[in-house]
Amino acid sequence: DDKLLSEPLKHPDFFSVKELFTLKDLFDARVHLGHKKGCRHRFMEPYIFGCRLDQDIIDLDQTMQHLQLALNFTAHVAYRKGIILFVSRKRQFCHLVERTARECGEYAHTRYWQGGLLTNARIQFGPGVRLPDLIVFLSSLNNVFEPHVAIRDAAKMSIPTVGVVDTNCNPCLITYPIPGNDDSPAAVELYCKLFRMTIIRAKDKRRQSEAVEELR
Amino acid sequence: QTLRLICTTTAVQRKNVGASGPEKYTEAFIKKQIEEFNLGKRHLANMMGEDPETFTQEDIDRAIAYLFPSGLFDKQARPMMKHPTEIFPEQRKIQWGEDGRPFHFLFYTGKQSYYSLMHETYEKLLNVEKYQDQLLAQGLPLQKEKRNLAGSRWLTKIELEEMLLEKLSDDDYSRFIQLLQKLVALPCADMEEKYIQKFSKEVPVQLQKVVIEPLQYDERGVAFSTGEGKRKTARATAVVYDNGTGKITVNGIDILHYFPVLQDREQLLFPFQFLDRIGKHDMVCTVSGGGRSAQAGAIRLASAKALRSFVTEKEVEFMRQAGLLTVDPRVKERKKPGQEGPRRKFTWKKR
């Protein structure tokens, strides 16, 4: 059992996450497009490549690195049978995100976030509840363009977060930010596809390793 | 010998009710209760000397009322023996498995059944739209059969709460109904007909046509019909005969003697006068209760109802519009405390 858990940690890319996407895929899905210059958040300036006709362009090289780290982390969490919660407050993609979560076998929350869901979970759900081990934000703002409450709550409950941050978002409290577009349907579908493939790969690898262990 | 704790502190005795939340009944507990109920039912049947196989719930209620007579006013407070599914309310069992992972993918939203319902309905909507797009791409026309919305209504909020076993707010309910209406409004919504029927209920048509009774014939071959009427506390029944001379008998007495006042006799004759059949019918009526005027009004209503059988439908409509067939709802108003009568207040004295 110890060998099962420590084996993936010895390799930098145990789940070969780099093969899932290329720079061209990100460009075709319009991930590099940000919001206008006036909407720019101060902490997103390191991730921005430049500005063309007032519209910010996100640096896709940095996005590649961040995305690879984030997908690797989610794969490890899924390998160790962690609970992953997909959060997005964009109404356009609510159905898509819920469908992705259902196909992975993980959980989603794309509706109104009640105040004490994470911090007051014992009383909301019941005494023996298990909180999510990873929260993935496909859009880190809520409908009023403020940072989602779940980012702060996850930081309070020591839950690591992975999030797609656009040029008007605050990447501060997110453990693995992914600078990229969160408004285009193509970009969000790409993210959903990538997360779904990583989680399914990680779970398959886990089942294979367990089968190999049992055979011994 | 075991040591028993005799005195306890108040802190131990006070239960922290807020932290535990509502009690959850496990499946095993409910199963045991059902087995105990069935055993108890057979014991009760043996005690009462009846057949245990054919012992219904009504027999159980009667037996319990006989064995445990109670003078309590509230029926719910008396001893009762019912099937456990009726006593223990249907509750959600624990939502996660042994490893802690919840079963439902929307568990962390809080209202999982409601949001999964919204998710499914939206998926049906998307499917219908995709199908429509396919039809448009092929160039086929879209079907436009209108669903009959008059005889159906959507589920109420309480019924939806019972279906989902979850509390809903008014906003949630209205959003769900709006989504359903949007789905129904699409032209190709027929393919999701089954799904929509789960959330709609039939409203029985409430129009009750008043059946006019046909004429009956007595031994002499004369047609007659009966009618009943009431006014204040008076109740009257009237039998109207055809081929008559216009004679009217009340309780065996002629109307001239029974109703000395002209006004009451006018009331009796009004239905016949309205239909221009004054000398053509005979009437025999019985009346009880009320006063002079009330009895007259009651007989008038009774005779008008009886005359419906002799007359065409148009004339019945005329009678109805004239107010001959409506029961007069005015009754004596009750006296209120602090006042001398129904409306009269006590004399106001300045000092």
Side-chain angles (χ1 to χ4, degrees):
Chain A
D1 199 35
D2 273 340
K3 208 174 156 216
L4 257 184
L5 295 176
S6 57
E7 184 59 40
L9 297 173
K10 294 174 190 165
H11 310 259
D13 197 7
F14 186 69
F15 301 98
S16 46
V17 162
K18 286 186 194 157
E19 306 163 354
L20 288 174
F21 59 95
T22 58
L23 206 103
K24 185 148 191 325
D25 289 337
L26 294 183
F27 186 80
D28 288 332
R30 306 191 266 280
V31 163
H32 58 288
L33 301 172
H35 289 280
K36 293 279 187 178
K37 195 164 72 175
C39 296
R40 198 193 299 174
H41 194 92
R42 194 164 145 192
F43 295 140
M44 289 300 287
E45 277 157 22
Y47 303 120
I48 290 175
F49 184 72
C51 190
R52 163 97 178 170
L53 295 172
D54 263 7
Q55 190 182 9
D56 288 330
I57 309 292
I58 299 167
D59 190 358
L60 280 182
D61 293 318
Q62 292 188 48
T63 305
M64 284 271 283
Q65 291 164 10
H66 282 96
L67 190 56
Q68 195 241 317
L69 286 171
L71 287 178
N72 190 32
F73 185 72
T74 47
H76 279 273
V77 170
Y79 183 85
R80 290 159 152 244
K81 296 200 177 155
I83 295 181
I84 304 181
L85 183 66
F86 287 90
V87 173
S88 161
R89 203 56 180 100
K90 285 248 147 73
R91 243 185 97 114
Q92 259 180 314
F93 310 118
C94 138
H95 187 82
L96 174 66
V97 170
E98 287 184 339
R99 212 180 345 135
T100 321
R102 196 176 52 187
E103 282 159 15
C104 294
E106 298 296 340
Y107 308 88
H109 183 107
T110 55
R111 311 282 177 167
Y112 176 73
W113 180 274
Q114 280 173 327
L117 268 188
L118 289 182
T119 41
N120 206 15
R122 295 278 146 72
I123 299 175
Q124 290 243 339
F125 296 115
V129 124
R130 183 175 149 186
L131 288 178
D133 299 306
L134 173 66
I135 299 189
V136 179
F137 288 93
L138 287 145
S139 151
S140 77
L141 297 180
N142 60 13
N143 287 349
V144 211
F145 300 110
E146 278 168 18
H148 202 290
V149 180
I151 305 175
R152 197 199 63 193
D153 280 354
K156 280 191 187 176
M157 305 300 286
S158 329
I159 300 173
T161 34
V162 164
V164 174
V165 280
D166 206 350
T167 45
N168 54 358
C169 309
N170 187 354
C172 282
L173 284 174
I174 305 172
T175 29
Y176 289 93
I178 305 172
N181 192 4
D182 62 1
D183 298 301
S184 305
V188 174
E189 276 175 18
L190 178 75
Y191 297 133
C192 283
K193 196 183 80 174
L194 290 173
F195 279 115
R196 188 168 53 230
M197 275 161 47
T198 39
I199 293 172
I200 291 174
R201 253 196 209 187
K203 287 187 175 173
D204 285 337
K205 269 234 158 112
R206 173 69 184 227
R207 257 175 270 147
Q208 276 172 18
S209 316
E210 278 180 343
V212 162
E213 278 292 313
E214 267 184 58
L215 280 176
R216 281 198 200 160
Chain B
Q1 251 193 351
T2 47
L3 289 169
R4 269 185 299 156
L5 188 66
I6 299 168
C7 46
T8 50
T9 55
T10 43
V12 168
Q13 283 166 357
R14 230 182 331 119
K15 238 171 46 162
N16 195 353
V17 184
S20 54
E23 289 163 32
K24 298 241 179 349
Y25 305 113
T26 49
E27 272 195 60
F29 175 77
I30 302 263
K31 254 191 189 170
K32 211 181 89 178
Q33 295 292 315
I34 295 178
E35 279 167 23
E36 281 183 9
F37 172 77
N38 288 327
L39 266 180
K41 200 166 92 167
R42 295 184 76 92
H43 277 304
L44 193 63
N46 281 327
M47 267 196 274
M48 301 297 287
E50 308 238 3
D51 184 16
E53 305 296 330
T54 55
F55 205 56
T56 58
Q57 186 60 46
E58 291 161 359
D59 295 329
I60 296 177
D61 292 332
R62 262 186 285 129
I64 296 289
Y66 170 73
L67 291 169
F68 302 100
S70 153
L72 293 173
F73 184 76
D74 190 3
K75 299 270 193 299
Q76 301 272 13
R78 294 183 190 170
M80 66 167 148
M81 181 164 158
K82 293 228 159 92
H83 195 81
T85 42
E86 288 171 45
I87 299 184
F88 297 106
E90 239 188 85
Q91 276 180 348
R92 311 260 290 295
K93 298 133 205 157
I94 304 213
Q95 305 287 330
W96 51 87
E98 276 174 12
D99 56 350
R101 292 190 74 118
F103 297 131
H104 201 273
F105 75 107
L106 289 175
F107 169 76
Y108 287 105
T109 53
K111 304 181 209 166
Q112 67 179 47
S113 1
Y114 169 70
Y115 285 133
S116 77
L117 191 72
M118 294 289 275
H119 179 77
E120 269 176 37
T121 320
Y122 191 67
E123 206 173 310
K124 304 279 182 214
L125 196 91
L126 287 178
N127 286 344
V128 172
E129 281 184 352
K130 213 167 78 171
Y131 180 67
Q132 274 182 337
D133 289 337
Q134 279 174 2
L135 284 186
L136 279 173
Q138 289 167 9
L140 294 169
L142 305 163
Q143 301 154 318
K144 273 216 170 176
E145 292 164 25
K146 283 221 160 158
R147 256 178 98 248
N148 185 18
L149 292 163
S152 60
R153 64 167 174 89
W154 297 117
L155 287 182
T156 56
K157 186 172 151 217
I158 301 168
E159 284 165 2
L160 197 63
E161 278 184 358
E162 273 171 50
M163 212 169 100
L164 300 176
L165 294 174
E166 236 177 27
K167 285 262 182 271
L168 291 179
S169 77
D170 291 328
D171 271 335
D172 293 337
Y173 173 70
S174 55
R175 274 189 186 231
F176 177 62
I177 297 295
Q178 278 168 12
L179 193 61
L180 278 179
Q181 281 166 350
K182 216 172 145 181
L183 177 58
V184 164
L186 293 174
C188 294
D190 302 324
M191 50 188 264
E192 304 299 341
E193 196 57 48
K194 247 196 225 171
Y195 184 74
I196 298 170
Q197 268 167 15
K198 270 192 251 174
F199 304 106
S200 62
K201 271 199 171 174
E202 290 272 322
V203 171
V205 180
Q206 279 180 2
L207 285 176
Q208 273 172 5
K209 202 126 194 210
V210 180
V211 177
I212 304 177
E213 280 167 13
L215 292 171
Q216 295 156 46
Y217 293 88
D218 68 359
E219 317 106 9
R220 287 175 297 154
V222 175
F224 72 93
S225 90
T226 42
E228 284 171 0
K230 64 174 182 178
R231 171 87 213 274
K232 276 196 190 172
T233 340
R235 302 283 180 270
T237 44
V239 186
V240 176
Y241 294 92
D242 210 355
N243 300 340
T245 48
K247 211 168 65 159
I248 306 178
T249 312
V250 183
N251 281 355
I253 306 171
D254 192 40
I255 57 163
L256 270 179
H257 298 292
Y258 198 83
F259 290 120
V261 182
L262 174 67
Q263 180 197 335
D264 303 335
R265 278 171 286 168
E266 269 184 358
Q267 287 281 299
L268 291 204
L269 286 175
F270 180 39
F272 301 98
Q273 182 205 354
F274 185 79
L275 298 168
D276 293 325
R277 285 166 182 244
I278 292 183
K280 295 178 195 164
H281 292 287
D282 251 350
M283 191 159 77
V284 176
C285 23
T286 45
V287 69
S288 64
R292 182 199 83 202
S293 209
Q295 284 185 343
I299 301 175
R300 182 182 108 171
L301 180 62
S303 58
K305 282 195 180 168
L307 278 172
R308 274 184 314 193
S309 326
F310 290 92
V311 142
T312 57
E313 274 191 29
K314 245 194 189 175
E315 301 221 290
V316 170
E317 183 59 24
F318 287 150
M319 279 218 287
R320 188 190 69 90
Q321 285 187 357
L324 276 168
L325 300 174
T326 337
V327 178
D328 202 334
R330 299 177 286 178
V331 285
K332 199 162 178 168
E333 202 175 311
R334 71 161 268 199
K335 175 195 166 328
K336 283 108 193 176
Q339 292 175 348
E340 206 172 298
R343 300 287 170 107
R344 162 122 173 92
K345 322 281 187 277
F346 290 125
T347 318
W348 178 72
K349 292 195 176 86
K350 198 162 182 174
R351 45 187 71 85

